[in-house]
Amino acid sequence: PDGPHAERIASRIAALPDRPISPQLGLAAALQTENRADAESICLALKLSNRLMDDTVWLKTNLSSARAPQRLDLADLKYLMANSNWPDLLELLRTDLIASRTPLAAFDELARRSALIPPDGIAPPPLLSGDDLTDLGYQPGPDYGRVLDAVRRAQLNEEISTAEQAHAMARKLLDASD
């Protein structure tokens, strides 16, 4: 690439930290201006491993969420933090903001919020499983996933914290869908 596109890539690469970085961070920074399909095609053309391609695309895809931390509820933030690429996502955000000459407020906010979450609070064991729903007398069906997701989000958002609360929420959701 040449012209403004090449300049944007060069500015992102130049904004990367002056220390060893992961390959996916470097690739995500270089491919940031590409859409997802083009980024995947480039990764395939480079014959990257599936893991490296998936990690690179995850970083690239989730950068938009990281740019707007005020839109992330606690569950969204925990889902991002539970991914092994979380530290690279924070660094990609910092790099992107520096390269675009944007204040680091989004980075500072995301770093501050994530620092408040203890490691054991990022991905605690789920309070409810499909087996629990069956034990409660409900038949497996399309609502199971929706209910399990809703209960998990409520748990991660710290709206519920016990199995009893999870069961009560599930009953309410399942009974409302009948």
Side-chain angles (χ1 to χ4, degrees):
D2 40 284
H5 186 67
E7 289 174 21
R8 284 194 301 273
I9 293 171
S11 68
R12 280 189 173 78
I13 299 295
L16 286 167
D18 189 20
R19 60 174 165 72
I21 61 169
S22 70
Q24 59 266 25
L25 175 57
L27 285 163
L31 297 174
Q32 192 50 47
T33 58
E34 304 296 330
N35 66 42
R36 182 184 180 122
D38 289 344
E40 287 175 350
S41 294
I42 291 168
C43 289
L44 288 169
L46 292 171
K47 298 185 187 296
L48 302 180
S49 70
N50 288 340
R51 175 67 191 255
L52 181 53
M53 180 175 73
D54 290 347
D55 290 348
T56 300
V57 171
W58 184 89
L59 287 168
K60 195 184 139 13
T61 302
N62 285 289
L63 180 59
S64 59
S65 295
R67 282 187 187 126
Q70 69 282 3
R71 291 192 201 139
L72 294 173
D73 67 9
L74 187 56
D76 292 330
L77 179 56
K78 287 179 178 182
Y79 280 126
L80 290 175
M81 291 176 66
N83 189 290
S84 62
N85 291 297
W86 167 248
D88 281 343
L89 182 60
L90 270 179
E91 190 57 50
L92 182 62
L93 174 62
R94 189 193 67 75
T95 296
D96 182 65
L97 295 172
I98 290 170
S100 61
R101 294 182 176 86
T102 303
L104 295 177
F107 171 82
D108 293 340
E109 174 70 8
L110 208 53
R112 182 194 65 75
R113 285 182 62 198
S114 64
L116 296 173
I117 301 170
D120 63 348
I122 295 170
L127 294 172
L128 186 73
S129 71
D131 290 339
D132 293 327
L133 295 178
T134 302
D135 292 346
L136 292 172
Y138 296 98
Q139 295 300 314
D143 288 332
Y144 261 43
R146 179 184 58 80
V147 169
L148 289 171
D149 287 345
V151 171
R152 181 67 171 163
R153 287 193 68 80
Q155 178 187 1
L156 293 176
N157 277 322
E158 299 174 359
E159 297 162 0
I160 62 172
S161 60
T162 67
E164 294 76 24
Q165 291 170 324
H167 292 172
M169 182 178 178
R171 275 190 209 98
K172 182 178 178 184
L173 292 169
L174 285 166
D175 292 345
S177 66
D178 286 341

